[in-house]
């Protein structure tokens, strides 16, 4: 009876999804065009931004389709000027991932997590990553193993290449989104409880959010991911943080390699009765929408062990925006020189298993699945979850940038590109019209230069995402 009711409900949703994608009813996070200088170009007069870029500059490595934070290095970037004027917002999205071989961490907002000099014994704590099969042994063949293999096989690149990344500012902007989201909901939890905070990082990747959790002074972290090498590197990064001489505080952590859309994580916890205050799933939940069973298992892992009043937070592609851009395209694909999205066909968008190929500047290249958000909201009710927050990246940015602390974090994380470039540097994009919005703003406004923005191509890439939060009901 329950399955029959669920099937009927999903069938109705499928019809609604089909109608929503037919035309005027499509929900759109942002429409890119040449006239959106003030409302759609990612510029903000009020917003402090990153310094002018010198070349080359040490930069964070991009991992897991997300963006890393810059964690206070002594690099040429410190020579950049911080007093940058930014322009009113463009509609505009990755993560804070990555572990370089030298473990350079991002943002001056945080302590440097590089091993301290004189702590030679730390080298002996290296967690072995060699000898791990390219594809995990215990995973069934199919999409899950393809995702695991993709992230396991990502090769680390040299410092010089990373410093020239075309999506350096895009990654930092996406990472700023995550930082603000995580900080906001940690604060909400603290308003409800006084004891230590426990967090599940679902799809942790290589540990790009570890410093966010440390900065948030949580008590316990469980990291889970499908890619075994990524989990080992995440654990190594944690160990490096833990054994630094000058480290004042570090949470307890455990690390789990598992397909969170097929395996029940509670069976793998060190403490079987453990519950969480927050589950964070950044740029990962869409992989589970290959089938209803996988999506349900992902939600079960994310929500079943949340304490009442706890939160399931994350970032994911906006399916309405993806379909809108696809329908506006003359082919089965769309994008620009930074990103491409390719569907198998138009006009047919099933609730589960609606696969598309996503490529981001040669770093991310793996199939994903559309997440029809009303369906995600409905499925989460099974675990007593209520949607309390859903915004596009643009809406989130416009709301949070009004806060001075968030503005300063944006600046420290170098999340917007200075425009125009100074005589010792160059702009990320060489396309003539990629900064047209900034040039027009300069003509029409009396502002202090340089401005802070992203190129139009980067805004198009970042504006396909949204942030969300569900709350566990009493």
């Amino acid at each position: 009876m329950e399955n029959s009711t669920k099937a009927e409900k999903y069938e109705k949703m499928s019809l609604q999804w089909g109608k929503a994608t037919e035309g005027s009813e499509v929900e759109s996070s942002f429409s890119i065009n040449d006239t959106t200088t003030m409302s759609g170009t990612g510029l903000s007069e009020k917003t402090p931004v990153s310094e002018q870029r010198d070349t080359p500059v040490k930069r964070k490595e991009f991992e897991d389709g997300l963006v890393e934070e810059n964690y206070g290095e002594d690099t040429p970037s410190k020579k950049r000027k911080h007093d940058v004027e930014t322009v009113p917002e463009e509609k505009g999205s990755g993560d804070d991932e990555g572990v370089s071989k030298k473990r350079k961490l991002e943002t001056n907002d945080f302590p440097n997590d590089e091993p301290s000099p004189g702590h030679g014994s730390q080298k002996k704590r290296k967690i072995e990553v060699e000898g791990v099969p390219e594809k995990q042994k215990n995973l069934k063949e199919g999409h899950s193993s393809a995702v695991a293999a993709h992230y396991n096989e990502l090769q680390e690149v040299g410092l010089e290449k990373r410093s020239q990344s075309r999506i350096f500012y895009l990654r930092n902007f996406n990472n700023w989104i995550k930082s603000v989201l995580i900080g906001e909901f940690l604060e909400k939890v603290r308003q409800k409880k006084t004891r230590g905070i426990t967090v599940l990082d679902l799809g942790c990747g290589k540990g790009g959010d570890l410093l966010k959790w440390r900065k948030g002074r949580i008590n316990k972290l469980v990291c889970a991911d499908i890619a075994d090498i990524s989990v080992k590197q995440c654990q190594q990064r944690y160990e490096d943080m833990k054994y630094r001489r000058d480290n004042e505080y570090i949470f307890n952590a455990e690390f789990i390699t598992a397909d969170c859309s097929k395996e029940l994580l509670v069976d793998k916890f060190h403490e079987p009765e453990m519950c969480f205050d927050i589950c964070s799933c950044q740029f990962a939940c869409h992989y589970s929408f290959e089938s209803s069973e996988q999506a349900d298992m992902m939600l079960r892992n994310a929500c079943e062990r949340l304490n009442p009043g706890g939160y399931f937070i994350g970032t994911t592609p906006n399916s309405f925006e993806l379909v809108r851009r696809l329908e506006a395209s003359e082919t089965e694909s769309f994008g620009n020189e930074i990103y491409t999205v390719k569907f198998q066909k138009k006009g047919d968008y099933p609730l589960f298993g609606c696969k598309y190929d996503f490529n981001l500047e040669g770093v991310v290249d793996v199939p994903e699945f559309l997440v029809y958000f009303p369906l995600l909201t409905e499925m989460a009710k099974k675990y007593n979850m209520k949607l309390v927050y859903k915004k596009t990246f643009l809406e989130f940015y416009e709301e949070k940038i009004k806060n001075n602390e968030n503005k300063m974090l944006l600046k420290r994380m170098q999340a917007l590109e200075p425009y125009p470039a100074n005589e010792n540097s160059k702009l990320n994009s060489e396309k003539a019209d990629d900064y047209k919005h900034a040039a027009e703003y300069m003509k029409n406004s009396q502002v202090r230069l340089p401005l802070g923005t992203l190129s139009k191509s980067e805004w198009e890439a970042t504006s396909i995402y949204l942030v969300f939060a569900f709350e566990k009901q009493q």
Side-chain angles (χ1 to χ4, degrees), residues 69-72 96 103 105-116 122 179 182-183 186 190 197 199 201 207-223 236-253:
E69 289 185 40
N70 300 317
Y71 291 107
D96 127 18
R103 282 188 178 74
L105 303 173
E106 304 170 331
T107 319
N108 302 336
D109 182 39
F110 302 95
N112 191 329
D113 270 341
E114 222 176 331
S116 302
Q122 181 177 339
S179 296
I182 287 172
L186 282 174
R190 284 205 173 80
I197 296 175
V199 172
D201 192 337
D209 288 340
L210 288 175
L211 289 181
K212 292 182 179 67
W213 302 124
R214 189 179 74 177
K215 182 173 182 283
R217 300 193 67 79
I218 68 170
N219 181 258
K220 176 67 182 284
L221 178 68
V222 176
C223 294
Q236 180 62 64
R237 184 171 182 174
Y238 169 77
E239 295 295 333
D240 289 348
M241 291 168 59
K242 185 176 181 179
Y243 291 106
R244 287 190 61 209
R245 290 183 305 174
D246 57 346
N247 188 48
E248 297 179 0
Y249 171 81
I250 187 66
F251 48 81
N252 294 319

Side-chain angles (χ1 to χ4, degrees), residues 361-378:
E361 213 244 352
V363 180
V364 181
D365 188 7
V366 68
E368 300 179 355
F369 298 96
L370 280 183
V371 178
Y372 179 45
F373 205 87
L375 173 61
L376 177 65
T377 303
E378 185 65 30

Side-chain angles (χ1 to χ4, degrees), residues 301-319:
N301 283 324
C303 306
E304 190 173 52
R305 302 307 295 269
L306 284 174
N307 291 314
Y311 296 100
F312 171 39
I313 64 174
T315 46
T316 192
N318 182 350
S319 60

